[in-house]
Amino acid sequence: MAAAGSAPVPPGGAPSASQAPPRALDPIDRSIMRLLQADGRASIRSVAEQVHVSRANAYARINRLIDDGVIRGFTARVNHERAGQGASAYITLKIVQNSWRTVREKLRELPGAAHIALVSGDFDVLLLVHTPDNRTLRELVLTRLQSIPEVLSTRTLLVFEETDLLDAGPNAGPAISEE
């Protein structure tokens, strides 16, 4: 029998990262996460030096964060304008009650969909999209989104300027990993 407050152990083994309770992160783990968010290509040596631990310790901590599902992967941050996606918008949606899973799957298929969130408040879903231009954005909203039967209404908020808070700063050089 599982202890009070703990996740049940599935037959045949330990709980998976998605089932296990979150592990407490110490200041070193948090520093490693911040460094990797700013530069996912940082070398183990560089991370170890910056958080003042051995390379073996840094390597073990990073692997534990990955195994525990804290770090879900590594990705590139894209300048959408330079990538030919000059129009960005947050779109709010009101949807039919209890249709979140269906709507989420349909939104995942949209070209340019970057982020989908189920939220509370005056609307149900917040969707971030990047498109080549306003004409494409208009087509996405008026044709694709509004044709989803579970979508009751939409409101489009154009993004005029974005600031990526994960950027290391205006004088940061290219992300290059050595070793």
Side-chain angles (χ1 to χ4, degrees):
M1 177 183 278
S6 68
V9 177
S16 70
S18 64
Q19 296 171 329
R23 180 190 312 244
L25 302 179
D26 65 18
I28 293 172
D29 289 332
R30 292 188 190 289
S31 294
I32 288 171
M33 288 185 336
R34 275 192 301 277
L35 288 168
L36 292 175
Q37 282 179 303
D39 179 5
R41 295 175 53 185
S43 68
I44 297 291
R45 182 175 76 174
S46 171
V47 170
E49 288 172 357
Q50 291 181 67
V51 300
H52 310 291
V53 297
S54 70
R55 287 194 304 195
N57 188 334
Y59 182 80
R61 283 174 177 267
I62 291 169
N63 281 333
R64 188 188 77 237
L65 291 167
I66 293 168
D67 291 345
D68 287 351
V70 174
I71 295 176
R72 298 180 301 170
F74 298 87
T75 186
R77 291 190 316 273
V78 174
N79 179 323
H80 295 285
E81 278 189 63
R82 304 261 317 148
Q85 297 174 316
S88 295
Y90 286 96
I91 304 169
T92 66
L93 295 85
K94 287 187 181 184
I95 62 173
V96 172
Q97 190 172 0
N98 297 322
S99 66
W100 162 241
R101 287 176 184 82
T102 302
V103 171
R104 180 183 57 201
E105 294 312 309
K106 291 177 181 177
L107 296 178
R108 282 182 172 169
E109 297 171 6
L110 292 175
H115 184 84
I116 305 165
L118 178 66
V119 297
S120 65
D122 293 337
F123 48 88
D124 304 306
V125 178
L126 184 63
L127 170 68
L128 172 62
V129 296
H130 303 288
T131 62
D133 51 39
N134 284 340
R135 182 181 307 254
T136 308
L137 176 60
R138 178 182 179 277
E139 183 69 20
L140 181 101
V141 173
L142 295 180
T143 304
R144 301 286 298 268
L145 279 177
Q146 293 183 0
S147 70
I148 298 172
E150 296 85 1
V151 172
L152 301 173
S153 67
T154 64
R155 177 170 288 166
T156 303
L157 308 163
L158 294 177
V159 175
F160 295 126
E161 184 176 314
E162 294 180 86
T163 301
D164 188 346
L165 299 179
L166 297 176
D167 282 341
N171 298 323
I176 298 175
S177 177
E178 293 181 20
E179 204 170 323

